[in-house]
Each structure stands twice: as C-alpha cells, then as structure tokens.
Amino acid sequence: MEISVKMDKKIWHTYVVNIGEEFMINTTWVVQDEEHLSFCIGEIREIYGKKKNLVVGLCADTSHRYGGGLYNYTGKAKDDPFQLLQLCVGSHCILYNLDDVNYSRRSFMTSTKHKVLKGFLYDKYTTVVGVGIKEVAEKLERETGVIIKNPVELRKLAEAGKSLKGNNVSGSKLADLAKLVLGEHMQFVKPKKTTWWSDKDDAYGDPLLSKDLIMYATVEAFLAYEIGSKLLRCSYR
C-alpha cells in the first residue's frame, strides 16, 4: 500500500494523506486548542450527520518509543502517558495532542480539561472502534478524565463476522485485521524507525510532528474506521 503526505500550506496544521490510489484523507493536527477541536468536530458532524450514529476509528500513541520523543520517562512502557489521540471519520482525521507541545520534548505536561473531546466521545451518537479499545478507553479515562461511552472492539466484531469465521483474530494487530477484513491491497507495515518531531518548527516557533508520524498516525485511525464501518454494516444485515 503506497502512502504519501503533503502539508496544506493554506490551512493551519492541515495535511493531505494519500492511501493507495483510492483514498485521500484530510488530517488536522490540533494542539490543545478547544476552539480548533470544536471547529473540526463540528465540520465532521455537518458532513456526516448531527443526529446519526457516527463511527469513529480511534488509536492512541506516546512519543516514548519514537526517535526524539519523551526521553526522560522512566516508567514501564505500558504506563507511558498517551500524548496523541488519533480519530478518523470517513476521509477526515483529527490528530489531537493531549499534552503541551512546548513541554512534551522534555516531559509530559497538560492543563487542558478536554471539554470538547469529552463531549464528542461521550455522545450517544458516537461509536468508537479500535483494537484493544477497552484498555485504551480505561487508560484514557484514567489519564485525562475522557470517557468513551460506546467503545467497540474490532477483534470481537471480526470474530462475529460470518465471512471471517474460522479465523482466530483474538491476538491480531490492526495491520492483521486490515489485511483480513479489507483485503491484501490494504496491507500496512509501519516502519520501526520513525521520529516524533519534525526538524522544522511552525510559523510561531512551536514544534511540528514529523510528516512520517502524521502519515502513519492517519493511516492507523483510517484503517480502524474502515474496518469498523465494514464489520458494523455486515452485522446489521
């Protein structure tokens, strides 16, 4: 699967991620800005429906395991604080920074209450799909107070799918499920060596995420969305 990313220089912190020849995803990186996040979520609701059930692909990540990331964290890997929340609906992706980018090169620090995010993920019309979503939801609530009201595990959806019966997916990763549910053409291999930060800052001198991170974070959330949407459609038939 060919993937490419290009920054949209006309719109703040916005990128276009091309996945193969079929999908073009508009990705916005939101840095602890409630007004910006509210605008992005409002735009998604306008496009995909305000009072309709919205399927949201969700992943979460921390910079500790990336080059140039959170280097002074000394706890266990499983306890690394989430720093980036990856959300995807259709061809729209939001990468939401959970910590303050002005401090995250050195340590995890946040004072944001995440009011907009809380409202979105606790909405009765929002169904959040992901791999290991129960663990992600519990960790997210513990660290930020954000509650996912309707989490749905992609592995369980796949196990229940009639067309996938006989396949053991209990330990499958997102890439495995993408290949199984969406087909060989959606096979996804994330490089082991990816840097968290770009070597360039934005116009205000604040750090930017690396283009590789933007690209692969978008792909992960998009695949979660695509897998979840397809399996949920099949389960309603």
Side-chain angles (χ1 to χ4, degrees):
M1 181 170 68
E2 262 190 63
I3 313 166
S4 64
V5 60
K6 187 176 182 181
M7 180 184 283
D8 188 331
K9 295 181 179 179
K10 295 181 180 179
I11 306 176
W12 182 249
H13 285 180
T14 299
Y15 302 78
V16 175
V17 178
N18 290 291
I19 303 174
E21 298 180 355
E22 189 177 356
F23 303 104
M24 185 173 73
I25 313 301
N26 294 303
T27 296
T28 303
W29 179 38
V30 180
V31 187
Q32 284 199 331
D33 184 332
E34 294 278 275
E35 188 176 340
H36 190 192
L37 182 61
S38 181
F39 173 80
C40 293
I41 290 174
E43 188 175 46
I44 286 173
R45 279 295 186 193
E46 284 291 332
I47 295 171
Y48 298 98
K50 291 183 179 179
K51 296 296 182 181
K52 293 182 180 179
N53 187 51
L54 199 68
V55 177
V56 180
L58 183 144
C59 302
D61 212 343
T62 176
S63 69
H64 185 225
R65 59 179 66 92
Y66 291 83
L70 190 63
Y71 60 82
N72 70 338
Y73 180 76
T74 57
K76 295 180 180 179
K78 66 180 181 64
D79 297 324
D80 288 0
F82 284 147
Q83 289 176 269
L84 190 70
L85 205 61
Q86 304 148 240
L87 307 162
C88 185
V89 181
S91 61
H92 290 75
C93 183
I94 299 172
L95 303 181
Y96 181 63
N97 235 86
L98 290 165
D99 69 337
D100 188 334
V101 295
N102 290 309
Y103 293 93
S104 60
R105 283 179 171 177
R106 303 184 295 278
S107 62
F108 183 87
M109 180 174 180
T110 180
S111 58
T112 303
K113 301 299 182 184
H114 306 300
K115 183 179 178 180
V116 174
L117 185 64
K118 287 177 179 177
F120 182 52
L121 296 183
Y122 198 73
D123 192 325
K124 66 179 180 180
Y125 293 109
T126 301
T127 298
V128 179
V129 297
V131 172
I133 195 66
K134 180 182 177 182
E135 292 76 14
V136 170
E138 290 174 349
K139 184 175 171 64
L140 187 65
E141 182 179 357
R142 187 167 62 249
E143 293 177 352
T144 66
V146 174
I147 299 173
I148 298 176
K149 187 178 181 67
N150 300 311
V152 176
E153 173 58 52
L154 288 177
R155 292 169 183 148
K156 289 186 177 180
L157 275 181
E159 286 174 348
K162 294 179 181 179
S163 62
L164 298 175
K165 283 196 173 178
N167 290 286
N168 183 6
V169 297
S170 59
S172 295
K173 295 180 180 180
L174 182 64
D176 302 323
L177 287 179
K179 182 179 178 181
L180 186 64
V181 177
L182 304 176
E184 292 276 351
H185 68 293
M186 297 302 282
Q187 187 172 7
F188 164 63
V189 179
K190 185 176 180 179
K192 291 183 178 180
K193 291 185 178 181
T194 303
T195 57
W196 188 265
W197 295 113
S198 169
D199 56 2
K200 297 179 181 178
D201 292 342
D202 65 17
Y204 293 94
D206 291 325
L208 290 168
L209 295 179
S210 73
K211 284 190 175 181
D212 279 350
L213 186 68
I214 294 283
M215 183 167 64
Y216 291 113
T218 297
V219 171
E220 287 174 339
F222 171 73
L223 289 178
Y225 166 79
E226 282 289 303
I227 294 166
S229 296
K230 182 174 180 178
L231 292 175
L232 284 169
R233 283 197 303 269
C234 292
S235 69
Y236 293 143
R237 288 176 183 172

